[in-house]
């Protein structure tokens, strides 16, 4: 039977590699392809939104190296750590050298300057208008509890440090405190999953050797008027302070992982130091420390009452700079990097003790100082090579993403053009 014209099939439309007859079935196929294209565009849009959110997070999160406040904060906090670490150790030892004797007074001044932290907490919001976040708005019971717990650790650490520095030369106590780096590495591996590399392991070994050398040199390093028993009490108190501080660093790093702004770090530091101050104040009250301060200033301190109170105030400021710098470095980098930076500054304390306090600097102490600096330089070099590798990998990933998106955009344009041509031909 001969087909009528209405029943005859229309010629198929040829387009490149496509061969499609404009039937209802083919139109359905085109509609499905259009829907798929729309879904792909929506998926790409979601990817773009996700990337935009990541960029926004980098802008808000001050721990991100892409944040414009990151580098100024890093430099500022290392400066505070440098000034605070060196001057606090010198001033604390100066107090005991000139007949100050109260360990509780020395402990109390380390944290009683916490009101100074209100400046970095309220200044960005109230005066600089650099943030819209109101102070203490993100605080909850968990953060307060953790801050109080860490504050108790800090208070005990301050007391142990006071006992240590009262019996040891500041150069010796500084090198002993450098042993906290070994504890810091071990605890960082356990608490924050820090990776062990050759550079950080080499650093720990070298600095631990420097502490062992000082222990073997104890007889010639003992100050006048300090018995062998008191010297070893100071030795083990200093080692214990280093261990506790090594625990403090990774614990606060784990807490800071959920914190995105420097102001909140200072708020938590305020709670910690208030807790440590309360602990020291209780000890001062039971030991008669407040009346002891008045008596020391007038009758005991051999530089006079005026110098005594200037020393107390200067020590309060120095310790605040030290703690602010430490907290900032841990927040912006890591607990291990913060410990490494502090260890490097301890060698400055050694030189400061020799220059300003006329402490002895024998051969073994020189070897211990060289080992300490060698360990620090080893770690810095390892960090430098790691940063170079990370930068190269990041650049390669960015190039791959650009090439992939360019290819996808070209394919999408070809398909859209093809569908439009089909519609025009029909």
């Amino acid at each position: 039977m001969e087909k009528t014209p209405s029943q005859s099939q229309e010629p198929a439309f040829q387009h490149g590699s496509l061969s499609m007859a404009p039937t209802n079935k083919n139109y359905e196929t085109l509609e499905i392809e259009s829907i798929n294209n729309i879904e792909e565009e929506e998926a790409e849009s979601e990817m773009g939104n996700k990337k935009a959110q990541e960029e926004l997070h980098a802008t808000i999160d001050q721990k991100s190296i892409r944040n414009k406040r990151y580098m100024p904060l890093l430099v500022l906090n290392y400066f505070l750590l440098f000034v605070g670490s060196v001057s606090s150790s010198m001033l604390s030892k100066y107090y005991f050298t000139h007949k100050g004797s109260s360990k509780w007074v020395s402990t109390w001044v380390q944290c009683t300057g916490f009101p100074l932290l209100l400046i970095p907490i309220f200044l960005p919001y109230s005066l600089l208008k650099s943030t819209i976040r109101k102070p203490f708005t993100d605080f909850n019971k968990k953060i307060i509890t953790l801050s109080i717990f860490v504050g108790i650790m800090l208070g005990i650490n301050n007391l142990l440090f006071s006992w240590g520095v009262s019996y040891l030369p500041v150069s010796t106590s500084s090198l002993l405190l450098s042993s906290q780096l070994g504890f810091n590495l071990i605890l960082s591996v356990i608490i924050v999953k820090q990776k062990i590399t050759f550079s950080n392991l080499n650093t720990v070994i070298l600095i631990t050797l420097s502490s062992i050398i000082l222990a073997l040199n104890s007889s010639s390093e003992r100050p006048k008027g300090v018995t062998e028993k008191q010297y070893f009490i100071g030795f083990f108190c200093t080692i214990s302070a280093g261990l506790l501080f090594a625990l403090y660093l990774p614990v606060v790093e784990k807490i800071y992982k959920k914190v995105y702004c420097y102001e909140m770090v200072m708020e938590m530091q305020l709670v910690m130091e208030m807790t440590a101050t309360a602990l020291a104040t209780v000890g001062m009250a039971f030991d008669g420390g407040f009346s002891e301060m008045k008596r020391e200033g007038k009758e005991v301190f051999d530089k006079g009452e005026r110098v005594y109170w200037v020393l107390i105030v200067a020590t309060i400021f120095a310790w605040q700079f030290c703690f602010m710098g430490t907290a900032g470095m841990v927040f912006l980098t890591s607990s291990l990097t913060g410990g490494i930076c502090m260890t490097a500054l301890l060698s400055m304390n050694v030189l400061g003790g020799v220059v300003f306090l006329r402490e002895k600097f024998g051969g073994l102490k020189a070897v211990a100082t060289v080992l300490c600096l060698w360990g620090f330089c080893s770690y810095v070099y390892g960090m430098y090579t790691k940063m170079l590798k990370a930068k190269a990998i990041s650049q390669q990933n960015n190039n791959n993403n650009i090439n992939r998106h360019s290819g996808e955009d070209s394919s999408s344009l070809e398909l859209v053009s093809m569908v439009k041509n089909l519609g025009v031909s029909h």
Side-chain angles (χ1 to χ4, degrees):
M1 181 177 180
E2 192 175 322
K3 292 183 181 178
T4 63
S6 60
Q7 294 173 328
S8 62
Q9 294 182 351
E10 297 181 11
F13 177 79
Q14 302 290 332
H15 188 282
S17 61
L18 292 175
S19 178
M20 303 180 67
T23 63
N24 291 335
K25 184 176 181 181
N26 291 332
Y27 285 130
E28 290 175 1
T29 303
L30 290 175
E31 288 177 1
I32 292 172
E33 289 179 354
S34 299
I35 292 172
N36 290 338
N37 291 337
I38 293 172
E39 290 177 349
E40 289 177 1
E41 289 175 1
E42 289 177 351
E44 290 178 1
S45 177
E46 288 178 1
M47 290 177 64
N49 292 336
K50 186 177 180 181
K51 187 175 182 180
Q53 290 175 357
E54 290 176 353
E55 293 291 337
L56 179 62
H57 178 71
T59 303
I60 296 174
D61 188 358
Q62 295 172 6
K63 291 180 291 186
S64 173
I65 59 175
R66 290 181 289 175
N67 189 288
K68 63 181 180 179
R69 293 182 64 187
Y70 177 83
M71 191 54 66
L73 279 176
L74 188 65
V75 173
L76 174 63
N77 280 277
Y78 193 77
F79 173 77
L80 291 173
L81 181 60
F82 177 84
V83 174
S85 178
V86 175
S87 59
S88 60
S89 297
M90 297 292 107
L91 293 171
S92 296
K93 186 59 185 178
Y94 187 84
Y95 167 78
F96 288 108
T97 300
H98 294 283
K99 298 185 178 179
S101 59
S102 176
K103 280 79 173 176
W104 282 112
V105 170
S106 178
T107 303
W108 187 73
V109 298
Q110 291 181 48
C111 48
T112 194
F114 65 84
L116 294 172
L117 295 172
L118 295 173
I119 297 174
I121 291 174
F122 285 96
L123 187 65
Y125 175 77
S126 302
L127 295 179
L128 301 180
K129 306 296 182 182
S130 60
T131 179
I132 60 174
R133 175 188 174 275
K134 292 182 179 180
F136 299 99
T137 52
D138 300 322
F139 259 51
N140 53 46
K141 291 182 179 179
K142 184 177 180 180
I143 291 178
I144 294 175
T145 303
L146 289 172
S147 299
I148 291 174
F149 171 74
V150 175
I152 294 172
M153 289 173 52
L154 189 62
I156 296 172
N157 178 80
N158 293 343
L159 181 60
L160 290 170
F161 175 83
S162 296
W163 274 84
V165 78
S166 65
Y167 293 134
L168 299 179
V170 67
S171 53
T172 303
S173 63
S174 296
L175 286 170
L176 285 176
L177 283 172
S178 66
S179 65
Q180 61 90 15
L181 193 58
F183 303 136
N184 188 0
L185 176 61
I186 296 170
L187 293 171
S188 294
V189 170
I190 297 172
I191 297 174
V192 294
K193 311 303 180 185
Q194 175 72 44
K195 292 183 179 179
I196 297 179
T197 63
F198 173 77
S199 61
N200 56 34
L201 186 60
N202 183 54
T203 299
V204 169
I205 292 172
L206 290 172
I207 292 177
T208 303
L209 283 175
S210 72
S211 300
I212 294 173
I213 290 173
L214 286 176
L216 297 175
N217 196 38
S218 62
S219 59
S220 61
E221 289 295 321
R222 191 167 66 247
K224 293 181 180 179
V226 175
T227 65
E228 187 173 350
K229 180 181 178 181
Q230 289 174 328
Y231 183 89
F232 278 104
I233 288 174
F235 186 92
F236 287 110
C237 282
T238 304
I239 290 290
S240 299
L243 175 59
L244 195 57
F245 194 73
L247 176 62
Y248 161 82
L249 290 175
V251 167
V252 294
E253 181 188 355
K254 192 172 183 67
I255 297 172
Y256 291 163
K257 284 184 180 295
K258 298 182 179 180
V259 177
Y260 62 88
C261 67
Y262 182 74
E263 292 80 11
M264 190 171 180
V265 172
M266 293 296 103
E267 292 163 7
M268 296 175 66
Q269 189 69 24
L270 179 69
V271 177
M272 294 175 192
E273 294 192 26
M274 287 175 64
T275 304
T277 302
L279 184 65
T281 302
V282 171
M284 286 271 285
F286 277 100
D287 196 48
F290 293 105
S291 57
E292 179 70 15
M293 288 180 72
K294 295 180 181 179
R295 188 185 69 83
E296 273 190 343
K298 290 181 179 180
E299 303 174 8
V300 179
F301 196 71
D302 60 11
K303 292 295 182 178
E305 185 177 5
R306 188 174 182 178
V307 174
Y308 179 83
W309 290 110
V310 170
L311 175 65
I312 293 295
V313 174
T315 307
I316 289 172
F317 274 85
W319 277 112
Q320 282 310 302
F321 289 165
C322 182
F323 286 133
M324 286 173 64
T326 302
M329 289 297 294
V330 173
F331 169 68
L332 295 168
T333 57
S334 67
S335 58
L336 187 58
T337 302
I340 292 288
C341 293
M342 291 193 68
T343 301
L345 294 177
L346 289 174
S347 62
M348 298 297 296
N349 290 345
V350 174
L351 299 177
V354 174
V355 173
F356 296 107
L357 301 178
R358 301 290 187 266
E359 295 178 353
K360 295 179 181 179
F361 193 75
L364 289 179
K365 186 175 287 188
V367 172
T369 304
V370 170
L371 288 174
C372 185
L373 290 173
W374 182 9
F376 173 72
C377 292
S378 172
Y379 183 79
V380 170
Y381 178 75
M383 289 294 293
Y384 174 72
T385 55
K386 183 180 178 181
M387 287 177 64
L388 288 180
K389 290 180 181 178
K391 187 176 180 181
I393 292 172
S394 177
Q395 185 65 37
Q396 184 179 359
N397 290 337
N398 289 336
N399 293 337
N400 292 338
N401 289 334
I402 291 172
N403 294 334
R404 181 171 59 83
H405 286 300
S406 298
E408 289 177 355
D409 292 341
S410 299
S411 300
S412 299
L413 289 172
E414 289 177 3
L415 186 57
V416 170
S417 177
M418 192 180 300
V419 172
K420 286 181 179 179
N421 291 334
L422 285 173
V424 170
S425 298
H426 175 66

